[in-house]
Amino acid sequence: MGSLPNQKPENGFTGTTIKPLDPEEFRRQGHMVVDFLADYYKNVDKYPVRSQVEPGYLRKRLPESAPHEPEAIEEILKDVQNDIVPGITHWQSPNYYAYFPSSGSIAGFLGEMLSTGFNVVGFNWMSSPAATELESIVMDWLGKMLKLPSSFLFSGGGGGVLQGTTCEAILCTLVAARDQMLNKIGRDNIGKLIVYGSDQTHSALQKAAQIAGIEPNNFRAVQTTKATAFGLTPEALRATIESDVEAGLVPLFLCPTIGTTSSTAVDPLGPLCEVAKEYGMWVHVDAAYAGSACICPEYRHFLDGVENADSFSFNAHKWFLTTLDCCCLWVKNPSALVKALSTYPEYLRNKATDSNQVVDYKDWQITLSRRFRSLKLWLVLRSYGVANLRKFLRSHVQMAKNFEGLIGMDKRFEVVVPRNFATVCFRISPIEIGKNHNVSKEDATNEFNCKLLESINETGKIYMTHAVIGGVYVIRFCVGTTLTENRHVNLAWKTIQEHASALLSMS
Ligand SMILES: *Cc1c(COP(=O)(O)O)cnc(C)c1O
């Protein structure tokens, strides 16, 4: 029997029926999604900021298995609106003040779109020269904006790379430091290596230490106190290091933070680097949130001393108008990274790599495959320019100052730690909390503030999150969403006051 010309091949997918990459269909459906998102941004302040669904909500709404036959984009978008949007916590809402921001922008979105559209896998230079070269150029641009010493730039023998997240940046630098040290003292001494942060350092450091094979007992979270606004002091660091050295252990890695996650505390880079350098440690500076602000001259002093660090990173996907994910990492000595992370299998061999004239970013990170992330940073830098980026950051700082001023006018509240950037840590002060004979005043105050925060977040009007700093439960008010204006901040404050009044009258 010969084949029948009109019969569809039974299992043969030719792509002709659903046209997964048909240019005209792409145009039609792409426009629909852009329209969908434009409407979303227009109405984003109308949704409850923190999603109000219960765990497992979506399984109840969606079918048990994937459709056998294709469905139309119109139908799918309807379900996005009806089923997905209710389960979204609206990070782009102007009333979002939780965690740290994920500040979106048209340029960041379009850059992401271009990157996704080209869909190249730029693991080495050859696999897409533009992806590698644009990344190196943009990282030099950004490094200059931050006034990083030239030793961090390609022109000065260092270099920058875009990682997905800070977690990866810390892990990669830690692994580089570990191998450099073990090559000196012998591979079997890994059990002696010590990693240092403070009790305010992001958990990313502990996770990196775990993955990098550092003994769990060899992770030091040096204690900070209110007296130094929860910054790590060189004295406390030195004392910890000295006792480790006395015990025959080997100081390996220090991770100071510019703008801690709980309270945006700043560790004094200069003095800390001095101590670390005495002991031959690698210093990685984590400025995930606050690094953005340092493109403004008035904040640059927070980075003083970075010239003595080995690596530095900040998240453009937090407060820099760039969509997730985009962590900017600079290292002084790229070859330390490359030695720890490179492989060169036969199937990736190529002339450019062999010529040693190119950067192969696969050797600067954990994974092989990598996205064309630099496009979005390039679009953000070009679309807004340094002047507007500074304006953007300063407007948030100004709104945070305004919020701080409002707190100052209501005696029931107090700011718990000094504000450094656009995040305010505050609470209802202990004076306001009634006597409860079963618990201490501090516990009662913490409990009250926790209740206050939950009662506010439940309404969906605004969303804030908390931290516990030195045993004190604080509510964090982080201004950083692109759409937030002063009127939103004023409204947020009114909401907070109303809930405080209601709860206080009940207690
Ligand atoms: C947000 C944050 C991190 C973690 O960032 P990821 O990109 O999610 O890994 C690390 N350190 C600090 C100080 C942060 O604020």
Side-chain angles (χ1 to χ4, degrees):
M1 257 178 43
S3 64
L4 303 170
N6 286 335
Q7 196 177 330
K8 276 199 222 151
E10 186 56 24
N11 295 313
F13 171 74
T14 62
T16 52
T17 45
I18 56 159
K19 303 181 177 168
L21 214 49
D22 176 76
E24 290 315 315
E25 266 309 297
F26 175 78
R27 195 186 313 279
R28 186 183 77 85
Q29 296 188 29
H31 282 158
M32 283 176 69
V33 172
V34 169
D35 283 342
F36 179 93
L37 284 173
D39 288 337
Y40 172 73
Y41 291 137
K42 204 176 189 173
N43 296 310
V44 68
D45 61 339
K46 298 190 180 68
Y47 299 110
V49 188
R50 191 182 74 178
S51 172
Q52 312 217 311
V53 300
E54 296 294 330
Y57 92 100
L58 194 53
R59 203 167 272 284
K60 294 193 190 118
R61 299 195 188 198
L62 296 194
E64 290 200 353
S65 37
H68 191 63
E69 297 302 327
E71 300 184 73
I73 185 69
E74 289 82 352
E75 288 306 305
I76 298 168
L77 282 179
K78 251 188 236 160
D79 292 347
V80 172
Q81 185 62 49
N82 295 333
D83 298 327
I84 302 300
V85 169
I88 284 184
T89 291
H90 300 281
W91 287 63
Q92 303 312 314
S93 165
N95 304 311
Y96 176 97
Y97 306 99
Y99 310 104
F100 280 137
S102 170
S103 60
S105 70
I106 298 168
F109 177 85
L110 296 184
E112 184 80 49
M113 206 175 182
L114 285 171
S115 156
T116 305
F118 291 134
N119 198 14
V120 300
V121 184
F123 37 72
N124 59 17
W125 180 87
M126 190 58 104
S127 68
S128 255
T132 296
E133 295 200 12
L134 186 63
E135 188 161 326
S136 300
I137 292 166
V138 165
M139 290 306 284
D140 270 1
W141 282 11
L142 255 180
K144 285 180 194 161
M145 284 166 65
L146 287 164
K147 297 220 171 346
L148 291 183
S150 64
S151 50
F152 281 103
L153 309 183
F154 281 98
S155 48
V161 57
L162 291 174
Q163 302 272 336
T165 63
T166 296
C167 286
E168 295 161 75
I170 294 178
L171 176 57
C172 289
T173 49
L174 177 57
V175 164
R178 178 199 66 190
D179 281 9
Q180 208 174 40
M181 183 62 86
L182 291 180
N183 286 340
K184 236 189 291 180
I185 65 171
R187 305 287 312 178
D188 48 353
N189 283 316
I190 187 166
K192 292 184 183 163
L193 302 180
I194 313 283
V195 169
Y196 300 85
S198 82
D199 56 5
Q200 302 298 309
T201 305
H202 195 276
S203 56
L205 180 63
Q206 189 178 357
K207 187 186 255 195
Q210 260 165 260
I211 298 172
I214 304 299
E215 283 292 323
N217 287 336
N218 289 357
F219 179 78
R220 303 278 179 270
V222 181
Q223 202 186 353
T224 61
T225 62
K226 191 169 170 119
T228 54
F230 301 97
L232 175 59
T233 66
E235 294 79 17
L237 174 67
R238 184 186 292 282
T240 311
I241 294 178
E242 277 176 358
S243 87
D244 284 332
V245 171
E246 245 166 66
L249 301 168
V250 179
L252 171 69
F253 192 88
L254 169 68
C255 182
T257 308
I258 306 300
T260 58
T261 312
S262 292
S263 70
T264 72
V266 173
D267 295 334
L269 275 192
L272 290 173
C273 284
E274 257 174 50
V275 175
K277 286 300 127 181
E278 274 178 46
Y279 294 92
M281 298 163 71
W282 181 299
V283 179
H284 176 78
V285 179
D286 173 9
Y289 158 70
S292 303
C294 298
I295 67 162
C296 301
E298 68 270 30
Y299 289 105
R300 175 56 180 74
H301 67 91
F302 286 122
L303 298 189
D304 287 353
V306 72
E307 55 278 9
N308 293 319
D310 297 276
S311 47
F312 171 85
S313 63
F314 91 94
N315 280 347
H317 64 242
K318 274 187 171 149
W319 195 20
F320 208 67
L321 295 172
T322 310
T323 34
L324 186 72
D325 50 3
C326 194
C327 171
C328 308
L329 165 69
W330 289 267
V331 289
K332 263 189 192 166
N333 180 8
S335 84
L337 265 190
V338 172
K339 273 188 198 139
L341 298 170
S342 74
T343 52
Y344 196 26
E346 181 57 38
Y347 45 80
L348 296 180
R349 288 199 174 267
N350 68 91
K351 260 197 224 158
T353 298
D354 288 334
S355 78
N356 279 326
Q357 287 181 315
V358 297
V359 171
D360 288 338
Y361 274 127
K362 71 177 175 55
D363 299 333
W364 295 47
Q365 62 174 28
I366 298 163
T367 57
L368 169 68
S369 298
R370 66 199 313 276
R371 311 178 62 229
F372 194 166
R373 289 194 188 94
S374 54
L375 267 176
K376 53 189 178 187
L377 263 181
W378 192 49
L379 258 79
V380 166
L381 297 180
R382 293 189 58 189
S383 299
Y384 305 121
V386 181
N388 276 313
L389 286 166
R390 285 179 181 157
K391 250 190 223 162
F392 169 76
L393 294 156
R394 284 168 179 153
S395 77
H396 288 159
V397 172
Q398 199 50 49
M399 284 186 259
K401 270 188 194 161
N402 167 35
F403 184 78
E404 209 176 27
L406 294 170
I407 293 177
M409 289 190 292
D410 187 332
K411 295 240 160 15
R412 300 173 298 173
F413 291 87
E414 64 182 16
V415 174
V416 178
V417 287
R419 177 193 53 77
N420 283 326
F421 305 97
T423 304
V424 181
C425 297
F426 72 101
R427 65 169 178 171
I428 293 268
S429 101
I431 305 157
E432 294 297 320
I433 312 300
K435 279 236 167 66
N436 176 338
H437 294 291
N438 295 325
V439 292
S440 70
K441 190 91 177 166
E442 294 97 279
D443 287 350
T445 307
N446 286 350
E447 212 172 284
F448 185 92
N449 279 286
C450 176
K451 232 193 270 172
L452 172 64
L453 177 62
E454 186 50 29
S455 84
I456 295 167
N457 285 340
E458 260 173 11
T459 67
K461 286 187 189 165
I462 61 175
Y463 183 26
M464 303 176 291
T465 49
H466 78 283
V468 175
I469 317 164
V472 173
Y473 185 103
V474 300
I475 302 175
R476 294 167 74 267
F477 187 83
C478 182
V479 183
T481 300
T482 312
L483 295 169
T484 302
E485 297 171 20
N486 244 327
R487 62 190 171 98
H488 298 109
V489 172
N490 292 335
L491 209 64
W493 176 240
K494 242 181 100 187
T495 303
I496 295 164
Q497 278 182 312
E498 281 167 13
H499 281 261
S501 298
L503 268 186
L504 281 170
S505 73
M506 275 159 36
S507 70

